[in-house]
């Protein structure tokens, strides 16, 4: 092969470049790792040498490699067998089904061994649907696991359901105080029910057995293989560090950084991972952030295009389904939610959160802040602006993570300062009917206002938050175009729908911007890295309802075919 011949050509289809003009080409040529030509079928085909692999698209679509910009990869891997049991919808449909899954796991477990699972959602459990007062309880698990501690994290990762053996193992009883920003649910008898919310989960998760480095590596590799089958070549790992990901995987997730770093050194990481370090746990303080950043510094990577620690994650409040998002207007049954940071009063918590953000900003990191309620979002955005005013930085690219109920004023401030928002349209599809009850129909319809954000000039990324939802960008794109409910098909806030181009940009070019990598990935342009995926049909003009049926036929990473259906 001559040095100038492409190694791979994809041609005769719809190449959606997702460049600044959303140009549509017919073919793309790759040499080594790089895109060397984008153009008409005739132009690209003419470049083929005797050893070039030519893929005939026959009208199929090519996209840039998908970038899931908020995906707990190491944790997602640990939620799969053999590491954990699946207690999510549709695998289970009732509390009885979950008890059956736990009972089977107990039979295979060693004496006294922990049983860990993930994904339960009361909105899909028959007993909870039949009786709104019914909620998962430790007794449901005690009946099948009297001697094995059990910890089942809910779909949102903001609530854990444990049995009596787990409470005993971790020393939790009626007298136990929840950490700041956490709640231990108590029954009418004053005893813990087995439900631990927000920061209270840490009381049990710190007692979970920590996976070995070999197990973490296997889990990550399993996730990357799955992501290749979904056309995903990049993701943001949001929260590795002393405060991070015990929720799903146990142990200090500095071990997860080590697992990723070893895979890079060994040439076994075929994905591009941007990492947010988590120096403080949920419920933490500014001192925790200072201490955590001093310990973490900025870890080195053998290949920053495969693994790069670019930012810091901070938790500001909880999540709306658990009524722990901090809202201006009360929930229908009362209460405003709260910040989940250190502090005895809301005012002290606001001061603490502002200081956490200032410390991380001045340390030179990008900030991604988990924040969902409108009152909490306003607090965070104002803190971004004030931190930058006090210590100007050229291009911080801070962003709001989730941003469920972000209002017009905060959107305007994000746009004015070049900040972003990372939203979860696939979760909108899943929970919109539930949210009508939680926050009322008007706020529910507004949740994740993608159209408003784009019109305000804010860069919008879309992500799965896996394992909260499956890392399925097709569902996210369809949800952005339709805003229909999974349960009923009813539209929720249709005025917030966006175009196909805007939705695809939120899974490709804009996440590359979030990663400080938009000069070399995120679109199909000359000189950019050859991360691509081929879909099984034309995407332009497809009925949005049919997008979820689209299959990925081929995934290219770094110029190599890593998945072929």
């Amino acid at each position: 092969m001559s040095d100038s011949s492409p190694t791979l050509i994809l041609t005769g289809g719809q190449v959606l470049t997702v460049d600044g003009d959303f140009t549509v080409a017919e073919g793309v040529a790759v040499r080594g790792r790089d895109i060397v030509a984008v153009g008409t079928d005739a132009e690209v085909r003419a470049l083929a040498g005797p050893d070039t692999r030519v893929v005939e698209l026959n009208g199929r679509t090519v996209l840039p490699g998908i970038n899931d910009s908020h995906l707990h990869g190491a944790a997602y891997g640990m939620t799969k067998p053999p590491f954990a049991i699946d207690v999510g919808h549709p695998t289970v449909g009732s509390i009885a089904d979950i008890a059956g899954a736990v009972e089977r796991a107990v039979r295979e477990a060693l004496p006294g061994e922990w049983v860990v699972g993930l994904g339960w959602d009361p909105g899909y459990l028959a007993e909870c649907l039949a009786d709104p007062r019914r909620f998962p309880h430790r007794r449901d698990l005690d009946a099948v696991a009297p001697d094995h501690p059990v910890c089942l994290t809910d779909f949102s990762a903001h609530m854990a359901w444990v049995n009596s053996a787990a409470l005993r193992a971790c020393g939790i009883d009626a007298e136990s105080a929840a950490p700041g920003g956490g709640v231990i649910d108590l029954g009418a008898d004053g005893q813990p029910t087995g439900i631990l919310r927000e920061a209270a989960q840490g009381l049990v998760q710190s007692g979970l057995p920590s996976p070995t480095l070999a197990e973490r590596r296997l889990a990550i590799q399993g996730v990357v293989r799955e992501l290749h089958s979904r056309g995903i070549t990049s993701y943001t790992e949001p929260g590795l560090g002393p405060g991070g990901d015990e929720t799903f995987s146990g142990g200090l997730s500095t071990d997860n950084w080590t697992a990723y770093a070893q895979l890079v050194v060994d040439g076994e990481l075929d994905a591009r991972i941007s990492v947010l370090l988590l120096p403080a746990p949920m419920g933490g303080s500014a001192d925790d952030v200072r201490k955590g950043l001093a310990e973490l510094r900025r870890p080195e990577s053998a290949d920053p295009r495969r693994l790069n620690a670019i930012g810091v994650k901070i938790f500001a409040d909880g999540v709306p389904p658990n009524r722990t998002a901090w809202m201006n207007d009360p929930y229908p049954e009362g209460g405003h939610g709260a910040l989940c940071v250190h502090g005895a009063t809301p005012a002290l918590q606001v001061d603490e959160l502002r200081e956490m953000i200032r410390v991380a900003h001045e340390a030179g990191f990008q900030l991604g802040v988990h924040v969902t309620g409108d009152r909490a979002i306003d607090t965070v955005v104002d803190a971004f602006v004030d931190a930058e005013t006090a210590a100007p930085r050229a291009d911080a690219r801070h962003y709001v993570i989730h941003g469920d109920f972000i209002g017009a004023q905060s959107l305007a401030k994000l746009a004015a300062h070049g900040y972003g928002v990372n939203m979860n349209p696939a979760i909108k599809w899943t929970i919109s009917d539930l949210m009508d009850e939680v926050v009322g129909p008007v706020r529910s319809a507004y949740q994740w206002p993608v159209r408003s954000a784009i019109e305000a000039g804010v860069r919008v990324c879309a992500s799965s938050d896996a394992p909260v939802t499956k890392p399925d960008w097709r569902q996210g794109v369809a949800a952005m175009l339709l805003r229909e409910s999974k349960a009923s098909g009813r539209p929720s806030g249709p005025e917030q729908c966006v175009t196909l181009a805007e939705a695809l940009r939120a899974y490709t070019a804009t996440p590359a911007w979030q990663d400080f990598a938009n000069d070399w990935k995120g679109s199909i342009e000359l000189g950019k890295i050859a991360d691509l995926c081929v879909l099984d049909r034309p995407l332009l003009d497809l009925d949005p309802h049919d997008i979820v049926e689209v299959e990925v036929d081929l995934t290219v990473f770094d110029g190599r075919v890593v998945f072929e259906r």
Side-chain angles (χ1 to χ4, degrees):
M1 181 185 290
S2 75
D3 285 345
S4 60
S5 294
T7 44
L8 176 67
I9 283 175
L10 312 172
T11 194
Q14 281 183 3
V15 178
L16 307 187
T17 64
V18 200
D19 63 4
D21 298 322
F22 202 74
T23 307
V24 180
E26 293 175 326
V28 54
V30 174
R31 184 169 62 246
R33 298 175 168 182
D34 302 319
I35 294 169
V36 293
V38 182
T40 66
D41 182 51
E43 288 168 344
V44 171
R45 202 176 288 278
L47 301 174
D51 297 317
T52 304
R53 179 181 176 187
V54 179
V55 175
E56 301 289 351
L57 294 171
N58 298 316
R60 293 177 294 170
T61 291
V62 183
L63 291 173
I66 301 298
N67 189 338
D68 192 323
S69 52
H70 189 90
L71 184 159
H72 301 267
Y76 181 52
M78 295 306 302
T79 67
K80 303 207 171 260
F83 307 113
I85 58 174
D86 179 1
V87 290
H89 175 81
T91 305
V92 299
S94 64
I95 290 173
D97 287 349
I98 293 174
V102 170
E103 186 174 28
R104 289 188 292 277
V106 164
R107 282 202 297 267
E108 296 175 10
L110 298 171
E113 189 175 21
W114 280 83
V115 173
V116 179
L118 184 103
W120 62 275
D121 180 349
Y124 292 97
L125 298 178
E127 297 89 343
C128 301
L129 292 170
D131 178 2
R133 294 165 300 176
R134 175 73 162 98
F135 206 71
H137 197 282
R138 60 183 162 81
R139 285 192 292 266
D140 299 313
L141 304 176
D142 292 347
V144 294
D147 304 313
H148 289 74
V150 178
C151 180
L152 306 179
T153 303
D154 85 322
F155 77 100
S156 74
H158 286 258
M159 193 158 45
W161 170 18
V162 303
N163 67 344
S164 296
L167 293 172
R168 284 195 303 272
C170 298
I172 302 169
D173 59 25
E175 307 304 315
S176 298
V183 178
I184 301 170
D185 281 15
L186 301 177
D189 59 0
Q191 297 298 315
T193 66
I195 297 296
L196 307 172
R197 300 175 191 264
E198 306 299 349
Q201 297 175 95
L203 297 173
V204 162
Q205 284 151 354
S206 60
L208 292 177
S210 187
T212 66
L213 211 51
E215 287 172 332
R216 293 173 193 272
R217 287 178 57 140
L218 281 173
I220 290 165
Q221 288 179 300
V223 166
V224 170
R225 281 194 300 274
E226 177 187 336
L227 297 180
H228 287 163
S229 74
R230 297 176 180 273
I232 297 169
T233 55
S234 293
Y235 62 92
T236 296
E237 177 70 80
L240 301 187
D245 274 357
E246 291 96 332
T247 300
F248 303 113
S249 57
L252 293 184
S253 45
T254 43
D255 292 342
N256 284 335
W257 172 272
T258 304
Y260 276 116
Q262 286 184 356
L263 289 170
V264 173
V265 169
D266 294 342
E268 295 176 8
L269 186 65
D270 284 339
R272 308 193 189 282
I273 321 298
S274 295
V275 173
L276 297 183
L277 303 171
L278 190 60
M282 192 184 296
S285 67
D287 281 344
D288 291 331
V289 173
R290 284 190 195 91
K291 181 169 177 285
L293 288 179
E295 291 171 0
L296 289 167
R297 300 184 187 85
R298 193 185 292 262
E300 293 295 317
S301 165
D303 182 352
R305 285 196 171 189
R306 298 199 183 215
L307 180 66
N308 194 11
I310 60 174
V312 167
K313 181 181 180 182
I314 289 171
F315 282 98
D317 66 350
V319 291
N322 295 347
R323 296 165 178 81
T324 49
W326 197 31
M327 305 290 281
N328 283 310
D329 295 324
Y331 292 90
E333 69 272 35
H336 291 264
L339 293 177
C340 62
V341 298
H342 178 74
T345 67
L348 289 172
Q349 288 181 312
V350 167
D351 289 344
E352 197 73 40
L353 178 58
R354 290 173 61 84
E355 181 69 2
M356 293 164 83
I357 287 170
R358 186 190 68 79
V359 167
H361 171 85
E362 290 188 357
F365 287 99
Q366 178 191 47
L367 268 156
V369 180
H370 167 111
V371 60
T372 60
D374 52 4
R375 190 171 182 182
I377 293 166
D378 291 346
T379 304
V380 166
V381 173
D382 285 346
F384 283 169
V385 173
D386 290 347
E388 181 150 309
T389 301
R393 282 171 51 191
D395 189 13
R397 301 193 193 184
H398 299 326
Y399 63 100
V400 167
I401 296 172
H402 309 311
D404 297 43
F405 297 104
I406 189 165
Q409 286 186 318
S410 282
L411 287 173
K413 289 175 185 177
L414 290 178
H417 290 271
Y419 300 145
V421 64
N422 194 301
M423 294 185 174
N424 309 104
I427 303 179
K428 171 73 179 171
W429 172 73
T430 308
I431 67 169
S432 58
D433 287 324
L434 164 71
M435 292 308 300
D436 281 9
E437 301 169 25
V438 174
V439 296
V442 174
R443 280 188 292 189
S444 173
Y446 181 76
Q447 190 174 20
W448 287 303
V450 183
R451 165 100 269 134
S452 293
I454 290 172
E455 288 180 351
V458 179
R459 290 179 175 89
V460 178
C461 292
S463 60
S464 66
D465 201 11
V468 174
T469 62
K470 292 278 192 296
D472 187 349
W473 62 273
R474 304 167 308 167
Q475 188 58 66
V477 167
M480 292 170 87
L481 270 56
L482 297 166
R483 288 183 70 97
E484 290 177 353
S485 154
K486 173 183 180 180
S488 65
R490 178 184 60 85
S492 177
E495 66 280 358
Q496 294 294 343
C497 291
V498 298
T499 65
L500 177 66
E502 288 164 333
L504 291 175
R505 202 176 290 288
Y507 279 98
T508 53
T510 310
W513 168 86
Q514 181 183 287
D515 292 344
F516 293 89
N518 45 308
D519 58 335
W520 59 269
K521 74 170 185 179
S523 59
I524 302 176
E525 297 183 83
L526 202 63
K528 289 200 173 179
I529 205 82
D531 295 350
L532 308 162
C533 68
V534 177
L535 310 182
D536 68 348
R537 68 195 77 178
L539 200 55
L540 295 179
D541 304 321
L542 189 65
D543 183 327
H545 294 91
D546 294 335
I547 292 174
V548 293
E549 305 299 330
V550 169
E551 296 282 358
V552 172
D553 280 351
L554 189 81
T555 302
V556 177
F557 173 79
D558 221 30
R560 292 180 294 109
V561 174
V562 290
F563 169 78
E564 200 158 359
R565 191 162 71 102

